[in-house]
Amino acid sequence: NMVGYHPDFCPFCGATKDRFLPAEENSANHHVEGIRINESVTRLNSVPKLGYEHAAYCVVADGAIFLIDCPSTFDRSLPQMDSIIFTHHHFLGASNQYRELYPARVAIHEADSRHDLCRGFTFDDLFSGSFCDSGLHAVHLGGHTPGLTCYFFRDVLFICDYVMKKHGIMVINPFGPLDATRKGLARLIAMIPDRPVTTVCGVDYVMDYPSWEKQVLRLVD
């Protein structure tokens, strides 16, 4: 989402600025729906689909409620969260509005916070490296964006669009330094044996880990 300015073209899909929806119109015509992944994780999407629609994920962690990435639609019926934490700066969504409503603290890797897309957004916490908060484990990978960070919570991996489905086949995100993204993916896969991962939550998919691993291993050979 853009805050406080309108570029001539959308930096993601190339749509002209006359196609942009004001926040009020967006909220009037779209809402956020949740799909339960397990007892702790809910997938959130704008309905109807909004542009390059992406999933955000609500995680009821150990003593805190997180949004991993943020829906583009501002929906006041969305349950309160404590923190909105990003994989990277491409999915800032309506975080400013949710931050003000609840309030919720907003966090992003400091390397991504400096990107031009972040103008107008408020971040309460900038992090670097990897860390754990309330059982949510953040692992900095870099690659696709300098600050790209994936998350683990119990047996779920949140990978966003580090690897994406294209025509039904998993591919490494081609935007950004491809070699660095491939190396980051290899490091991530090497961590999996130490974690009981059963489910992978992506930008527009949810998969069981064995099926996901089978498709992505060939990407790092």
Side-chain angles (χ1 to χ4, degrees):
N1 288 26
M2 309 295 147
V3 175
Y5 72 105
H6 295 84
D8 289 333
F9 299 93
C10 172
F12 298 104
C13 70
T16 53
K17 62 182 179 182
D18 60 294
R19 301 289 303 278
F20 281 49
L21 292 177
E24 295 79 8
E25 182 179 340
N26 179 16
S27 293
N29 295 297
H30 297 76
H31 64 281
V32 177
E33 289 188 0
I35 298 175
R36 181 69 67 88
I37 305 303
N38 61 32
E39 69 279 359
S40 301
V41 177
T42 301
R43 174 179 172 172
L44 303 174
N45 283 97
S46 296
V47 178
K49 182 179 179 181
L50 187 63
Y52 277 168
E53 176 61 22
H54 67 273
Y57 293 91
C58 178
V59 180
V60 181
D62 303 331
I65 299 175
F66 294 88
L67 280 191
I68 298 177
D69 295 325
C70 189
S72 294
T73 295
F74 178 53
D75 185 338
R76 290 178 177 272
S77 70
L78 202 66
Q80 182 171 353
M81 72 292 296
D82 300 298
S83 179
I84 303 170
I85 191 165
F86 293 106
T87 56
H88 60 307
H89 62 271
H90 291 161
F91 300 111
L92 303 177
S95 58
N96 272 9
Q97 293 171 290
Y98 288 113
R99 176 183 180 274
E100 182 177 350
L101 175 65
Y102 286 121
R105 296 188 67 82
V106 179
I108 194 170
H109 193 285
E110 60 88 18
D112 279 0
S113 70
R114 300 188 293 267
H115 194 278
D116 194 50
L117 284 173
C118 295
R119 72 169 90 167
F121 285 90
T122 299
F123 303 113
D124 301 287
D125 302 302
L126 299 180
F127 57 85
S128 60
S130 304
F131 64 92
C132 180
D133 183 359
S134 301
L136 185 73
H137 294 262
V139 178
H140 176 233
L141 296 176
H144 170 50
T145 69
L148 193 138
T149 301
C150 71
Y151 298 90
F152 293 90
F153 182 70
R154 297 178 183 166
D155 62 341
V156 182
L157 166 62
F158 302 91
I159 191 65
C160 196
D161 61 354
Y162 209 65
V163 287
M164 310 181 299
K165 274 191 175 181
K166 187 174 182 180
H167 306 303
I169 299 173
M170 300 302 295
V171 298
I172 292 176
N173 194 314
F175 299 99
L178 188 59
D179 187 57
T181 305
R182 183 178 288 108
K183 289 178 179 178
L185 180 60
R187 287 192 291 110
L188 176 65
I189 292 173
M191 298 176 192
I192 301 299
D194 297 325
R195 301 176 185 275
V197 176
T198 63
T199 305
V200 180
C201 292
V203 65
D204 58 3
Y205 62 85
V206 176
M207 295 178 64
D208 66 276
Y209 179 75
S211 297
W212 184 86
E213 181 188 55
K214 183 178 180 179
Q215 292 196 45
V216 302
L217 281 178
R218 64 177 177 78
L219 302 177
V220 296
D221 288 343

